Amino acid sequence: MTNKPVVFISATSDLCSARDLVGKILYAMGYEPVWQDIAATDGGELLDVLRRRLKPAALVIQLVGQRYGAEPPQPTQEFGRVSYTQFEALEAERLGKKVIYHCLDNRFPIDPVAAEPPELASLQAAYLERLKSINCLRYDRITDTSELELSIRRISDELATLRRQADRRQRRLVLLSVAAVVGIAAVAALTLALFHATRTAATQTAGKLDRQAAEIAKLTRAFADVKAAVTPKPLAAGQTHPDPVPPEILVKAQLLLDRGNAEQRALGMIALKQHDAANQLIQQLKRKAGNPIDEAFQLLSMEGDNWYQAGEPDKALGPYEQAFALKPNDFKAHNQLVCALILGRDGDVAARRLRAIKVSEQTLKLVGQNSSEWAKTQNNIGISWQNLPTGDKAENVQKAIAAYQAALGIYTEDTYPDEWAWTQDNLGLAWSELPTGSKAENMQKAITAFEAALTVRTRDGHPAEFARTQENLGVAWSRLPTGNQAENRKKAIAACQAGLVVYSNGSFPRQRLDAETCLSWVQLVANDFGGALTTASRAPSEGIVNLYLEMNRAHALLLLRRSDEAKAIYVRYQGKTVEETGRTWEQFVLQDLDELESHGIKSPEFSHLRELLKQSTEPKQPSDQSAAASPAAP
């Protein structure tokens, strides 16, 4: 009697090699893999054979490819027209067994088989769509055998529980059998006890397996959802931090932390911002023996995701670079590295942006031109050019606009509504920043793009994105030089206030500071200096300092003739680099003064402030006396 839990492997004939690989992995891990070749059998009706083969299985793993496979001569009574392979999974689900689907990409290597008619291919495509629509437990887009092996090994912790239960049952039966040799009378008693113990154990085990399978499914779904939330997303131009993790994902992250395996707990910690603890656990996982390339890639990516979500993209760069070196032709490796290069703030920012462009141009050669990956890469190229602090600003922004427009050739409102909206938002920012051409036309194009994005980015459906686009729209209305200026400023303030309302409950402190920065600037432009000061002087969140908001506070104080207080702020941040731009505080303040004057806002203090800040940007030469007093360098 075997003490190995039975795992049924379901696959079509073109995936026999893949099925054999899965069987060898499961056998090496201590399980009993079984399957049924779809061919003539001595066991009668094949559907009945499949039912018998499925009955003892504790778990079913189905490899789902592009092939439909053989089918019964008549539609089944339970499921209608299905292939034998589809029947295996559907029947297992009907019996209450857990089925884990491993969906293989069309690039996955298959065994040579005859081509199927288009009708069968469409039936298999519909089956795949069903799996996606019911949100079943599955691993998607497996492109090669190494990824398949990794997806199987990821369920090892859960399967190990099944093996331990089988081992305990076997030991109990062995002990009972040994005791049976004591005597004939004892044999009868022990036999009866054995019968009752086995039946009770089987009943209890069945219940436990059902509960464990449900737990596995719940944890696996939570892992997939949390992983998607913390993986670097398409960025918005000017974005300085990753988007906040939604509250419903945080609930799933807590589930992973409370009941998951080591990898799941680490992911939960990332989402819950327990970044130091997550890093310690990830380092432990990386030191485990037998760490193959795919496993190493996964852990390095998770290490990078941890620091990326912590708002420290410079720390994320190291592990992302290592992951990129392991898989230089992998789209995920390219995308996560580029996102960190774009948001990185340390060192030579211009060099990092140029590297982001170079890596992205390599990415375009890896992916199909009509794919969403190609469009996402164009978005990354646009942000890199738009935020490049060196070179000709107009030329950089024009290249960004071209990249966004290329992405919009793939992203349409109907097919990719979310991606279309954030590309429209980025395009609007680029038009608003273009320093050449008609400012009125540029701003009107920006407003059109932002308003288009808001048709998808609603407050209820996409609150964080809604707020960001409202802020951008507010600034664009404030800078529009044509039309009724009072009406423009009224629209600008209304848009910024709409964005700020999203953060009124105190959540997402960094994003709230960005919204307050937007509103206070628009209030400055509208000559509401007191309102701007009130907005910019609210208590900072969690000790976070937003230099743009501090600038607006200083401007408001200066325009309210509180010059000493204003100059104290201007001097406090001299020499600091502003966020990820690579530009200094002084450069931005001087740019703001020019912008305020373009709106007719003037102050006699502006000239004094310009002198003060320009002096601080000029390199200071040491006097002869100070040079002589300094010791020579060793």
Side-chain angles (χ1 to χ4, degrees):
M1 181 176 179
T2 181
N3 66 336
K4 294 182 177 182
V6 175
V7 179
F8 187 94
I9 308 172
S10 172
T12 49
S13 59
D14 59 327
L15 299 175
C16 289
S17 297
R19 181 194 63 193
D20 293 344
L21 171 65
V22 173
K24 290 176 182 178
I25 296 170
L26 292 174
Y27 188 83
M29 294 164 65
Y31 314 112
E32 186 68 27
V34 298
W35 55 79
Q36 177 64 48
D37 287 314
I38 307 302
T41 68
D42 297 327
E45 177 64 37
L46 183 53
L47 292 179
D48 291 335
V49 174
L50 292 178
R51 292 186 183 99
R52 291 197 297 273
R53 297 285 275 170
L54 285 166
K55 191 173 181 180
L59 185 72
V60 174
I61 292 176
Q62 182 167 83
L63 308 181
V64 187
Q66 315 304 310
R67 189 174 183 80
Y68 178 74
E71 63 180 352
Q74 299 295 331
T76 65
Q77 184 176 354
E78 302 94 332
F79 313 113
R81 185 180 181 183
V82 294
S83 69
Y84 285 115
T85 306
Q86 293 174 1
F87 175 86
E88 290 169 344
L90 295 169
E91 176 65 11
E93 288 180 346
R94 189 186 69 80
L95 294 172
K97 299 180 183 295
K98 179 53 58 182
V99 181
I100 302 180
Y101 298 89
H102 296 257
C103 299
L104 310 183
D105 190 83
N106 56 13
R107 293 170 289 177
F108 189 92
I110 60 174
D111 301 325
V113 289
E116 285 190 322
E119 178 192 12
L120 299 186
S122 65
L123 289 174
Q124 181 66 1
Y127 180 70
L128 276 165
E129 285 302 314
R130 170 191 172 273
L131 296 182
K132 294 177 182 178
S133 65
I134 64 175
N135 195 27
C136 61
L137 177 58
R138 67 182 194 273
Y139 293 89
D140 285 333
R141 300 182 65 180
I142 299 171
T143 60
D144 54 38
T145 55
S146 60
E147 289 185 1
L148 177 59
E149 177 180 354
L150 181 60
S151 69
I152 297 298
R153 293 189 182 281
R154 282 179 181 164
I155 62 174
S156 60
D157 287 357
E158 292 80 7
L159 287 173
T161 303
L162 304 181
R163 187 173 67 241
R164 287 194 295 270
Q165 289 180 334
D167 290 342
R168 285 197 296 270
R169 290 198 305 275
Q170 179 72 0
R171 284 195 296 270
R172 284 200 300 270
L173 294 177
V174 170
L175 289 174
L176 288 170
S177 299
V178 171
V181 302
V182 173
I184 295 175
V187 168
L190 287 174
T191 302
L192 182 61
L194 176 60
F195 171 76
H196 286 295
T198 303
R199 185 173 66 177
T200 302
T203 302
Q204 293 174 344
T205 300
K208 289 181 180 178
L209 288 176
D210 287 343
R211 291 192 295 272
Q212 289 167 354
E215 179 77 359
I216 292 171
K218 188 175 183 180
L219 287 170
T220 304
R221 284 194 296 269
F223 183 87
D225 291 344
V226 176
K227 179 66 177 173
V230 303
T231 298
K233 303 290 187 307
L235 296 171
Q239 185 174 350
T240 59
H241 300 280
D243 288 331
V245 178
E248 64 272 16
I249 297 297
L250 295 179
V251 174
K252 296 180 180 182
Q254 188 64 52
L255 173 68
L256 295 179
L257 185 59
D258 293 340
R259 302 210 293 266
N261 60 29
E263 185 177 350
Q264 291 168 340
R265 292 198 307 276
L267 189 66
M269 291 173 184
I270 294 172
L272 294 168
K273 293 192 174 298
Q274 300 175 15
H275 297 295
D276 290 335
N279 185 58
Q280 292 177 6
L281 186 51
I282 292 167
Q283 299 309 320
Q284 292 174 14
L285 290 170
K286 286 169 64 178
R287 289 193 292 268
K288 285 175 61 178
N291 193 1
I293 287 180
D294 288 293
E295 188 82 12
F297 178 82
Q298 174 75 10
L299 291 172
L300 286 166
S301 296
M302 183 181 288
E303 183 181 2
D305 292 347
N306 180 45
W307 294 122
Y308 188 88
Q309 286 297 320
E312 299 191 50
D314 297 291
K315 283 188 177 181
L317 269 174
Y320 282 160
E321 288 278 16
Q322 293 177 60
F324 181 75
L326 285 176
K327 288 194 170 186
N329 295 324
D330 183 271
F331 175 76
K332 177 182 177 182
H334 281 239
N335 185 67
Q336 63 193 18
L337 174 60
V338 167
C339 287
L341 287 167
I342 290 173
L343 291 188
R345 296 181 287 272
D346 296 342
D348 190 338
V349 173
R352 288 188 175 181
R353 299 287 155 72
L354 290 171
R355 176 133 193 273
I357 293 169
K358 182 177 180 180
V359 173
S360 297
E361 288 173 343
Q362 294 171 355
T363 311
L364 292 177
K365 299 175 183 178
L366 296 177
V367 296
Q369 187 167 352
N370 295 323
S371 66
S372 61
E373 288 86 357
W374 186 87
K376 185 184 293 186
T377 303
Q378 288 287 2
N379 180 74
N380 289 340
I381 290 174
I383 296 172
S384 301
W385 278 116
Q386 189 172 344
N387 293 341
L388 185 65
T390 56
D392 184 274
K393 177 67 174 177
E395 184 178 341
N396 293 348
V397 175
Q398 285 168 346
K399 289 179 179 177
I401 290 172
Y404 297 141
Q405 290 174 332
L408 289 171
I410 304 299
Y411 290 148
T412 66
E413 186 176 5
D414 293 332
T415 56
Y416 296 95
D418 292 341
E419 292 83 354
W420 175 83
W422 53 250
T423 306
Q424 288 284 4
D425 188 65
N426 286 348
L427 179 61
L429 279 170
W431 279 117
S432 70
E433 293 176 8
L434 185 63
T436 55
S438 167
K439 183 176 181 179
E441 290 181 8
N442 294 347
M443 288 302 157
Q444 193 58 62
K445 288 178 180 177
I447 290 169
T448 299
F450 294 139
E451 289 178 339
L454 287 170
T455 62
V456 172
R457 291 182 158 184
T458 62
R459 179 180 171 184
D460 292 334
H462 303 80
E465 292 82 0
F466 167 83
R468 185 183 300 130
T469 303
Q470 287 284 10
E471 295 158 21
N472 295 337
L473 178 61
V475 173
W477 275 116
S478 74
R479 297 181 64 193
L480 184 65
T482 56
N484 186 314
Q485 291 301 296
E487 188 65 25
N488 291 352
R489 289 165 184 168
K490 183 178 178 181
K491 291 179 179 179
I493 291 175
C496 291
Q497 288 175 333
L500 187 57
V501 167
V502 172
Y503 309 118
S504 59
N505 61 357
S507 59
F508 311 134
R510 288 187 184 277
Q511 287 73 17
R512 182 172 67 81
L513 290 177
D514 290 341
E516 289 172 341
T517 300
C518 166
L519 178 58
S520 58
W521 174 258
V522 170
Q523 288 170 323
L524 283 172
V525 172
N527 288 276
D528 182 10
F529 307 139
L533 180 60
T534 299
T535 301
S537 299
R538 289 171 182 156
S541 303
E542 300 179 6
I544 301 171
V545 175
N546 183 305
L547 293 182
Y548 295 112
L549 190 60
E550 286 290 277
M551 275 183 222
N552 291 349
R553 186 160 71 96
H555 299 335
L557 287 167
L558 191 68
L559 292 166
L560 290 169
R561 300 182 181 180
R562 294 164 61 175
S563 302
D564 291 341
E565 295 172 75
K567 287 179 180 177
I569 298 173
Y570 288 129
V571 172
R572 183 184 308 159
Y573 299 108
Q574 279 184 309
K576 284 193 175 292
T577 299
V578 178
E579 292 293 339
E580 79 296 344
T581 64
R583 301 174 65 196
T584 65
W585 162 271
E586 291 88 337
Q587 289 172 315
F588 272 99
V589 172
L590 292 171
Q591 177 179 305
D592 278 3
L593 298 182
D594 293 340
E595 181 75 14
L596 289 170
E597 287 182 335
S598 73
H599 287 280
I601 299 171
K602 301 182 183 298
S603 168
E605 295 290 340
F606 282 4
S607 59
H608 299 146
L609 183 58
R610 283 192 174 98
E611 275 303 312
L612 174 67
L613 296 178
K614 285 180 179 178
Q615 288 175 4
S616 67
T617 59
E618 296 173 356
K620 297 180 179 180
Q621 298 295 330
S623 65
D624 292 342
Q625 183 176 356
S626 62
S630 302

